[in-house]
Amino acid sequence: MRFSARHRARIALSVFATALMAAALAGCGSGISLDEPIEGPVWRLVQLGDEPVPPGGEAQIQFDRSSGRVSGTGGCNRVSGSFTRSGITLRIGQLASTRMACADPVRGANEAQFISALQTTATYRLAGPGRLALLDASGRTVATLNSASR
């Protein structure tokens, strides 16, 4: 089977365009796998929405892959519940919490906002090594956390 020069040129151009597009898309990536596991490290709350959390806060969570459970603290109370993750989709089930009063009203307000953020999480984004952003269904960042090792 013989192809005309015009047909061979179209095939070559098509192959070149595909290779060029693949190279361009590879350059756009952050180098962070979107399916990198979030399970394992302890994630400390550093930001709620657009507001940084004051230093010294103890709000943190940890995802356990083997049990499908999430646990941690809102800053005053322990929290636990279930979660499911598939790719960047993250759903946190109803959370149970202890009922200790927060002596500091700011900490109490941050805890309530953090628990609300966890409950509204629909997806996540790894914003860099050791940095996890939780996003709601509209794609708005509701909380940002750093791994405890950072």
Side-chain angles (χ1 to χ4, degrees), residues 5-129:
R6 182 181 227 162
H7 187 35
R8 285 192 305 267
R10 272 192 238 159
I11 291 172
L13 182 59
S14 189
V15 169
F16 176 75
T18 301
L20 186 61
M21 181 67 77
L25 290 174
C28 291
S30 65
I32 300 170
S33 167
L34 292 179
D35 200 34
E36 182 178 323
I38 59 171
E39 297 89 348
V42 173
W43 296 98
R44 295 190 195 284
L45 180 67
V46 294
Q47 190 170 316
L48 281 166
D50 296 329
E51 296 296 318
V53 174
E58 297 175 18
Q60 62 186 31
I61 57 170
Q62 184 173 28
F63 299 94
D64 182 345
R65 179 186 312 222
S66 63
S67 67
R69 306 281 303 161
V70 60
S71 61
T73 178
C76 298
N77 291 284
R78 302 275 314 146
V79 296
S80 65
S82 62
F83 80 95
T84 56
R85 181 181 76 86
S86 176
I88 61 168
T89 300
L90 176 63
R91 303 277 186 216
I92 298 173
Q94 187 65 38
L95 293 171
S97 174
T98 57
R99 295 288 199 197
M100 297 174 58
C102 279
D104 179 359
V106 172
R107 245 169 113 175
N110 281 346
E111 179 176 78
Q113 190 176 350
F114 180 47
I115 290 171
S116 176
L118 292 171
Q119 296 288 204
T120 61
T121 296
T123 63
Y124 73 93
R125 176 173 47 86
L126 292 169

